Amino acid sequence: MTAAVDTSLVTTAAAAFSVLCASTAFAGVLADSRWVFPAVLTVLAVAAIGVLGRRLHWPLGATAVTQLAGVLVMLTAQFTERALLGVLPGPAAIGELGGLLSGAADIVRTGVPPVPAEPALQALVCLGLGVVAVVVDLIVVGLRSPAVSGLLLLCVFAIPASLSDTMLPWWTFVAGGAGFAVLLASGGQHRRWRSREDREQVTNALFGPTTASVAGAAGVIALLTGVVFTGVGTEGRLPGAVPEQFGGTDGIGLQPFTSLRGQLNRDREVELFRVRGLREPTYLRALTLRKFNPERGWELEGLTQGVEANGELPLPEGTDIGDGATERVEVQPVGYRDPWLPVFGMPRFLSGMGVNWRYDPASGIVFTQTNQESRAYVQQLVVPKPTPDQLRGARGPLRVAPEYLDTTGIPPQVAELAQRLTADAPTDFDKAVALNRYFTDPRNGFRYDLRTAPAGGGDALSEFLFRGKRGFCEQYASSMAALLRSVGIPSRVAIGFTAGYRDGDERVITTEDAHAWVEAYFPGWGWQTFDPTPLSDGRTALPQYLDSELHPAQQPAPPPGQEVPSTPPTAEPTPGGERPEDDAAGVAPADPRETEQSNPWPITIGVLVLALALLAAPGAVREVRRRQRLRAVAGGAAGSAGLAWQEVLDEFRDRGDRPAATDTARQVATRLLEHHGLDESGAKAMRALVTAVEREWYAPPGGEPESSLPETLHTVLDSLRRAAPLDLRSRLFPRSVLQLGPTNA
C-alpha cells in the first residue's frame, strides 16, 4: 500500500508559510504585535482560496483574481464597521478602507519607527502581505517556480529594513531564511514529483538534511543582507514618499502623535540636535495642532503656504508685542530628518537649512515638502517674558482663527470639570494656571506613564481625566487644551522637544526629550506656553510667569476641599549633562528606555500557537468525525451500517491501507483481515458488519437497523487496536484526513 499526499497542498502551505516568515520583519518597525493575527488570517485566506480554485480546476488568472477579492473581504471584515452583512465590501466600507490606508501612508511618511500598530497600519500590512501571498502562490504553485518568489520575499524584508534606522531583529532573518528553504524544498523536485507523491519522499524533501543546510545558509545570507539594508536605509522614510516639488499644503496630513510616540518608545536614546547659543532652557517647537477630532484626537489643520522661511520672518499671527531678549541660536541636526523644522520661541530670522522651507505665522510652523538632508541652521529669536500681571491684564480682540476655540467633540463632563476648576479664577491667565496646576499636583492622582495606551478622541479624553489619570505628555497636553477651550481660552497642542541637557557650551537634545505641551492665546502677547505633564526628571522648562504661579516662595495651605494645590518645584538639570535622580517623595515617570518595545516573544508565541493548532488540526478533525459516526450508530440513525463501515475503513486507512474503489465490501474485509490478523472475535464482528452493510445497501428501503450494530462496530475497532495499535505520528496525522483523493492499493 502506498501512502500519498497531494503535492499541490504541500506547495500551497509552503508558500503561505514563507510569506508569514518574511512578515516577521515588520516586528522591527511596529511597536506591538496587534498586526500579527489579522495578517495570519489574511495569508491563510489566500492559501485556502488557492486550494479551492485548484480543486475546481479554475484557470490561474481566475484563481488569482478570486484570491485578491478574498484579501479585500478580509480587510473589510477586520477593519471596517460598515461592511455589508459584516464582511462584504460595499461602497461605504471601501471608503472607510481608503481612509484607513491614507492614514497609514501618512504614518509611514511622518512616523519614527517603531510605531504603534494602529488599525491603519494593520490594514496596510495585511493588504501588502495579502497581495504578496497571491503572487507567491501563483509563482510557486501555478507556475512551479519557487526560486523566483525569493525576490518578492526579499522585498518584504527590504521595506521594514529601509524604514528602520537600526538592524531588524536577528530572529526575523532566521525565520525568513527557514521559510524560503521550506519553499524551495516544496518545489525543488517538481520535475520529478507527480500530483500525488509518496509521503516519505515529501517528508524527506521538506525536512531532510539538504533543506536544513539551505535554511542555515539562507539565514546567514539574510542576516548579512539585513545589515546592508540597514546601512543604506532612508531614516524612516520610503524613497520618494515626500514630493520633490513644493506644491501647496493640501497634501500635508498626518497623525503627528505617531512620530512623538515613536521617539518616546525607542529602545535606545538617540541624539537629535546640538544647540549653541541658547541662554535659558526653552521648548523646541516642531508643529502645532488646532483641530480636536472626537474620533482621533488632535490633528493638524489649516496650514497655509505661509512665507519663505529663509530670511526675516513676520510676527506670529495675533501678536503685537515682540519685545524681549533677542538670541542667536545655532542648531545642528544629528539624527533628525523630518518635514518640520523645529524652532525656539518667537522666530524672527532663519537661514542655512536649505531651499523650499516655508513659515506659517498662524501656526508657528516651519515646514517643507522637499525630501532633503538635514542641515545646520541659524535662528534669531525673541523670548518674550511677560509677567503674570501683564497676562492677567491682556485685553483686546482674539485675532486668531475661530477654530482655536472650537469645542466640537469635547464631552459635556469635560466642560463641566473645566468650569468647576476655574470657578474662582478672575482672568483667563488665572484660569489657565488653575488648569495647569490641576494636572501637576500629585494629590490629584495624575501620573506620568509611557505604557498607557495612546489617547484618541472624546471617550479617551474622559477615560484619562476621570478614571485612568495615567499617560504621557500626549494625554496631558490634549486634555488641558480641551479644558482651556471649554472655558473660552484659545488653545492648541504643540509638539517638539524639551531643551535637553547641557554638554559644555552646547545643549544636547535626544529622542528622550520628545514632548508635547499646550499653548494658550493672550491678546497682544500671542501664544504662551503651559505644560501640564508632571515630569520630575528635570526636563520641564516652564516660563517664569507660569513657574512663579505654580511654585510661589511661600505656599499657603489650600482651603478645605479645594482640588488644585500647587506642585513641588521642578528640579533643574545638573551640570555636565547628567539628569538628576527622581525625588523619592515624588511620582517617578516611566523611563522611556523601559517602555514596551518590539520584541520577538509575542510574535514567537503567536507563531508557536498557530503551529501547534495546525499540527493538532488533523487529529482533531479525525476525532470529531469518529464521535459523530459513533453517536449516529448508537442512536440508530438512517444509514447507520454505512457510517459504521466508513469508520472501519478510516481506521484501516490510518494504518496505511487504501482499499480500491472497485472492491466490494466482502473483498475489502477479507483483505483487511488477512493483512492485520484480527482475532476471532474481531473477524466474526467484521463479517457481521459486512452483512449489515450489504443488507442496508441492497435490501428494500425502510428496514430497521440492527440493534446489535453498535456492539459489532466496537468489537471490530477494539480488535483492530489490539492487533495493530497506531503510533503517535499516525494519531497526530491520520491518513484518513490527510489523503484527500483516491489511490489504488
Side-chain angles (χ1 to χ4, degrees):
M1 306 288 179
T2 301
V5 295
D6 187 335
T7 53
S8 70
L9 293 179
V10 175
T11 51
T12 299
F17 178 71
S18 66
V19 173
L20 291 176
C21 287
S23 73
T24 59
F26 287 100
V29 293
L30 298 177
D32 54 78
S33 57
R34 287 176 292 167
W35 62 276
V36 175
F37 185 68
V40 170
L41 287 183
T42 303
V43 173
L44 292 182
V46 170
I49 294 172
V51 171
L52 177 63
R54 285 180 279 275
R55 287 282 181 227
L56 300 178
H57 304 291
W58 293 347
L60 290 180
T63 301
V65 170
T66 307
Q67 288 173 314
L68 291 173
V71 172
L72 181 58
V73 170
M74 294 300 297
L75 291 175
T76 302
Q78 295 182 95
F79 301 107
T80 68
E81 298 178 354
R82 292 180 284 180
L84 301 177
L85 303 178
V87 295
L88 299 180
I94 294 295
E96 196 174 347
L97 273 179
L100 270 178
L101 296 175
S102 176
D106 291 334
I107 295 175
V108 170
R109 187 170 61 88
T110 62
V112 179
V115 296
E118 297 177 349
L121 283 178
Q122 294 179 42
L124 181 62
V125 170
C126 288
L127 174 61
L129 291 179
V131 173
V132 169
V134 171
V135 178
V136 170
D137 186 83
L138 175 63
I139 294 173
V140 174
V141 187
L143 303 179
R144 294 177 177 263
S145 302
V148 177
S149 64
L151 297 174
L152 189 60
L153 297 175
L154 185 59
C155 290
V156 176
F157 267 91
I159 293 174
S162 68
L163 293 175
S164 178
D165 63 352
T166 60
M167 183 176 174
L168 298 177
W170 64 268
W171 55 271
T172 65
F173 295 109
V174 174
F180 187 55
V182 171
L183 184 63
L184 289 177
S186 72
Q189 302 188 38
H190 71 273
R191 296 185 186 279
R192 297 197 302 271
W193 277 359
R194 297 165 294 181
S195 61
R196 300 191 65 82
E197 194 55 77
D198 179 73
R199 183 184 306 279
E200 291 187 1
Q201 181 179 349
V202 174
T203 302
N204 291 334
L206 290 177
F207 307 112
T210 302
T211 302
S213 301
V214 173
V220 172
I221 294 172
L223 276 171
L224 296 176
T225 304
V227 173
V228 174
F229 269 122
T230 301
V232 299
T234 58
E235 302 179 71
R237 300 289 178 272
L238 282 173
V242 180
E244 293 299 329
Q245 297 295 328
F246 178 81
T249 59
D250 292 341
I252 294 184
L254 78 167
Q255 296 178 353
F257 283 123
T258 301
S259 180
L260 174 63
R261 296 175 198 139
Q263 299 281 3
L264 291 174
N265 286 317
R266 299 178 71 96
D267 59 354
R268 62 187 177 91
E269 186 175 5
V270 177
E271 187 174 310
L272 297 176
F273 304 97
R274 285 191 169 262
V275 181
R276 287 178 176 268
L278 189 65
R279 298 173 188 171
E280 298 180 3
T282 305
Y283 289 153
L284 182 61
R285 180 180 59 250
L287 67 159
T288 61
L289 315 176
R290 80 174 186 181
K291 179 181 179 181
F292 180 75
N293 186 313
E295 295 181 358
R296 295 187 294 272
W298 291 87
E299 299 176 330
L300 178 69
E301 184 193 63
L303 187 64
T304 69
Q305 290 199 17
V307 299
E308 174 66 35
N310 274 287
E312 188 174 352
L313 304 179
L315 285 172
E317 187 175 285
T319 303
D320 298 324
I321 304 173
D323 300 335
T326 301
E327 301 182 23
R328 182 182 185 276
V329 176
E330 299 176 7
V331 183
Q332 174 65 57
V334 179
Y336 180 84
R337 184 178 184 180
D338 212 71
W340 319 102
L341 188 75
V343 292
F344 291 102
M346 185 187 300
R348 301 309 313 273
F349 185 90
L350 283 172
S351 64
M353 64 281 192
V355 298
N356 293 331
W357 288 93
R358 311 288 293 182
Y359 172 63
D360 179 19
S363 62
I365 296 175
V366 180
F367 62 95
T368 186
Q369 282 191 337
T370 300
N371 191 11
Q372 55 185 282
E373 296 295 332
S374 302
R375 304 182 187 180
Y377 57 99
V378 175
Q379 176 189 353
Q380 292 183 5
L381 65 139
V382 172
V383 182
K385 295 184 177 180
T387 66
D389 288 340
Q390 286 175 321
L391 292 180
R392 286 188 177 98
R395 298 287 188 274
L398 300 179
R399 293 186 292 107
V400 292
E403 286 79 7
Y404 288 109
L405 281 166
D406 185 12
T407 58
T408 302
I410 298 177
Q413 63 268 31
V414 173
E416 293 172 4
L417 175 64
Q419 296 291 340
R420 176 162 56 85
L421 294 175
T422 59
D424 298 328
T427 68
D428 283 353
F429 175 73
D430 293 308
K431 292 178 181 179
V433 171
L435 294 176
N436 202 120
R437 181 183 289 120
Y438 175 64
F439 292 100
T440 56
D441 190 296
R443 284 175 283 183
N444 289 332
F446 288 93
R447 181 177 177 182
Y448 182 80
D449 190 349
L450 278 170
R451 287 165 289 194
T452 302
D459 291 342
L461 183 63
S462 299
E463 172 66 27
F464 171 71
L465 284 172
F466 299 109
R467 290 175 290 277
K469 294 190 176 183
R470 294 168 64 92
F472 59 97
C473 51
E474 172 187 345
Q475 283 88 352
Y476 287 98
S478 299
S479 300
M480 182 174 173
L483 292 172
L484 284 169
R485 289 192 180 184
S486 298
V487 293
I489 301 176
S491 65
R492 66 191 187 188
V493 174
I495 294 178
F497 306 88
T498 58
Y501 62 88
R502 186 166 295 281
D503 182 16
D505 60 350
E506 295 181 327
R507 297 196 72 88
V508 179
I509 298 175
T510 73
T511 49
E512 287 198 357
D513 298 303
H515 195 49
W517 61 95
V518 179
E519 294 182 348
Y521 177 78
F522 295 90
W525 290 97
W527 295 98
Q528 301 299 316
T529 295
F530 292 81
D531 191 352
T533 304
L535 296 174
S536 59
D537 59 359
R539 291 189 293 133
T540 303
L542 299 180
Q544 185 60 37
Y545 58 80
L546 180 58
D547 188 61
S548 63
E549 291 295 311
L550 294 179
H551 311 132
Q554 299 293 330
Q555 171 143 342
Q562 183 169 334
E563 203 173 17
V564 288
S566 61
T567 60
T570 302
E572 287 296 324
T574 59
E578 298 291 333
R579 299 195 191 274
E581 297 294 330
D582 295 336
D583 187 349
V587 179
D591 187 345
R593 290 165 289 188
E594 298 175 358
T595 58
E596 290 183 2
Q597 303 165 9
S598 176
N599 65 75
W601 293 115
I603 299 176
T604 302
I605 293 173
V607 171
L608 288 176
V609 170
L610 177 62
L612 291 175
L614 293 175
L615 289 174
V621 172
R622 179 70 182 96
E623 185 60 27
V624 169
R625 187 182 297 170
R626 177 186 294 110
R627 290 179 180 274
Q628 290 176 341
R629 289 169 177 168
L630 293 178
R631 189 163 47 247
V633 172
S640 295
L643 292 174
W645 179 246
Q646 288 300 322
E647 178 59 24
V648 170
L649 289 182
D650 278 355
E651 285 288 339
F652 283 99
R653 290 188 182 105
D654 290 341
R655 288 160 174 80
D657 293 305
R658 190 71 173 176
T662 56
D663 289 346
T664 64
R666 288 186 179 274
Q667 290 174 325
V668 172
T670 300
R671 182 181 303 172
L672 296 177
L673 289 174
E674 293 175 352
H675 187 269
H676 292 289
L678 272 63
D679 57 21
E680 183 177 353
S681 62
K684 182 178 179 181
M686 176 68 86
R687 288 190 287 270
L689 178 58
V690 170
T691 301
V693 170
E694 291 175 338
R695 182 179 299 113
E696 183 179 276
W697 288 353
Y698 307 119
E704 293 290 331
E706 296 185 12
S707 59
S708 61
L709 185 59
E711 182 180 354
T712 300
L713 175 59
H714 282 290
T715 301
V716 173
L717 297 180
D718 290 342
S719 178
L720 178 59
R721 289 163 187 163
R722 289 193 300 269
L726 284 174
D727 57 19
L728 178 61
R729 176 179 174 183
S730 297
R731 290 198 298 270
L732 289 176
F733 307 105
R735 295 174 175 85
S736 59
V737 173
L738 297 177
Q739 290 178 342
L740 303 178
T743 302
N744 292 336

